[in-house]
Amino acid sequence: MIDLKEIIFAPLNLSILPEEIEQIKKEHQQEELKSFYSKYRTCRMIPLMTSLGATDPETIANKNQAHQWTENIDKMPITKRILTDKFLPLVGSDCRIITLCTPAHSSVKVHYDCTEDSFHEVQLKMRLVLTSHLNSLWFLGPDNERVFSKSRSPSYVINGAHPHGAINDTDQEKMTICLGGNFQGNNESFLSSLKKSLLDQRGEWITHKEVPKRFIPELFQSRYEAILSEGQVDDRFGLDL
Ligand SMILES: [Fe+2]
């Protein structure tokens, strides 16, 4: 039996072809897509499925509303098909899907992907990386060191309740489709993919056996954004210089 709360990173093989990933990436490079900048995650975000299909961060933040495709997906038929066929059966259709875009030679600073109140719940989030550079994701270790994922899998789950960041040291914008919201991991299709990963790819997993839990209240989005004033150096309390 897998304890979902123990997982920090686990690759999932969803049999998505490299040429399909390339097509999804091209669809994301259309200039007309609506996006916004997140000060907390320090990157641009392209909303694909959100509360009421909204593309503004305020409405998106209310995950208690029903989730719907945004207008962006009308221009992204292959992205919609792959998400519908490969991901929604695992995470459910009441899911938030947003693509994070990290500019060349920049980083996503350390952050949580859950609220302080929901820290103790299962906070698994699924990801699909659209670039070939995969080993840039890191998790905060016990001595504030960066524990990097060594997986080469473009699709994986992470624990949004563990502080993490990412580096893009390439010349290209890095794009990652992020699925979260109300996903609790209690779905047979998801659990059977996870069991297969445990058998075949356990060496690539990161769990709380290796990296203990980190609860840093002031780092959660609501608190951190409130204290981050204009012009202040955003070093995340020295955790992300
Ligand atoms: Fe994240």
Side-chain angles (χ1 to χ4, degrees):
M1 185 63 191
I2 303 169
D3 182 350
L4 298 179
K5 285 187 181 169
E6 286 298 302
I7 297 171
I8 295 179
F9 175 96
L12 286 183
N13 185 353
L14 302 181
S15 304
I16 301 169
L17 303 171
E19 37 288 24
E20 290 177 314
I21 291 182
E22 198 53 39
Q23 289 170 317
I24 294 172
K25 188 174 150 189
K26 281 214 173 75
E27 288 188 343
H28 277 77
Q29 288 167 334
Q30 302 175 88
E31 282 185 9
E32 320 83 84
L33 296 181
K34 291 208 167 155
S35 66
F36 60 89
Y37 183 78
S38 165
K39 238 163 83 170
Y40 182 60
R41 291 183 178 79
T42 56
C43 65
R44 187 170 72 91
M45 303 175 104
I46 303 176
L48 303 182
M49 184 183 272
T50 59
S51 302
L52 306 175
T55 54
D56 65 285
E58 291 74 27
T59 312
I60 290 172
N62 180 2
K63 70 171 189 176
N64 296 322
Q65 305 269 23
H67 286 72
Q68 297 164 7
W69 293 113
T70 70
E71 61 191 88
N72 285 333
I73 211 76
D74 296 341
K75 304 178 187 81
M76 311 168 87
I78 298 158
T79 304
K80 185 178 185 181
R81 175 173 61 76
I82 301 285
L83 288 172
T84 303
D85 293 353
K86 303 278 185 178
F87 286 88
L88 294 188
L90 274 60
V91 300
S93 54
D94 193 24
C95 178
R96 180 188 293 170
I97 310 176
I98 297 180
T99 302
L100 264 62
C101 306
T102 324
H105 302 287
S106 73
S107 67
V108 172
K109 288 184 186 282
V110 65
H111 65 278
Y112 283 104
D113 283 329
C114 73
T115 61
E116 188 176 346
D117 292 347
S118 60
F119 175 82
H120 296 289
E121 298 168 7
V122 173
Q123 289 292 346
L124 292 179
K125 316 287 177 187
M126 286 192 72
R127 302 284 184 257
L128 175 65
V129 180
L130 303 181
T131 48
S132 56
H133 187 70
L134 298 172
N135 53 354
S136 61
L137 173 67
W138 59 270
F139 300 92
L140 194 65
D143 300 317
N144 295 342
E145 79 278 30
R146 297 174 174 190
V147 179
F148 281 87
S149 152
K150 294 186 177 65
S151 175
R152 302 298 301 163
S153 171
S155 47
Y156 52 81
V157 282
I158 68 161
N159 181 349
H162 195 85
H164 59 279
I167 295 168
N168 179 9
D169 57 3
T170 73
D171 295 330
Q172 284 188 357
E173 185 175 51
K174 180 182 181 237
M175 290 186 286
T176 307
I177 301 183
C178 302
L179 298 94
N182 300 318
F183 175 47
Q184 292 295 310
N186 49 0
N187 166 310
E188 276 312 310
S189 304
F190 169 71
L191 290 172
S192 76
S193 290
L194 199 61
K195 275 180 200 155
K196 194 164 179 340
S197 170
L198 189 62
L199 286 174
D200 300 343
Q201 292 168 280
R202 175 65 180 93
E204 296 173 32
W205 283 42
I206 301 171
T207 72
H208 282 309
K209 281 198 183 77
E210 299 94 50
V211 180
K213 289 185 182 178
R214 296 293 307 268
F215 183 65
I216 308 168
E218 58 274 19
L219 188 61
F220 287 93
Q221 182 166 6
S222 56
R223 288 217 216 181
Y224 191 73
E225 280 188 338
I227 61 160
L228 187 64
S229 58
E230 282 304 314
Q232 185 184 333
V233 176
D234 179 7
D235 72 347
R236 310 277 154 143
F237 312 111
L239 296 170
D240 203 329
L241 295 167

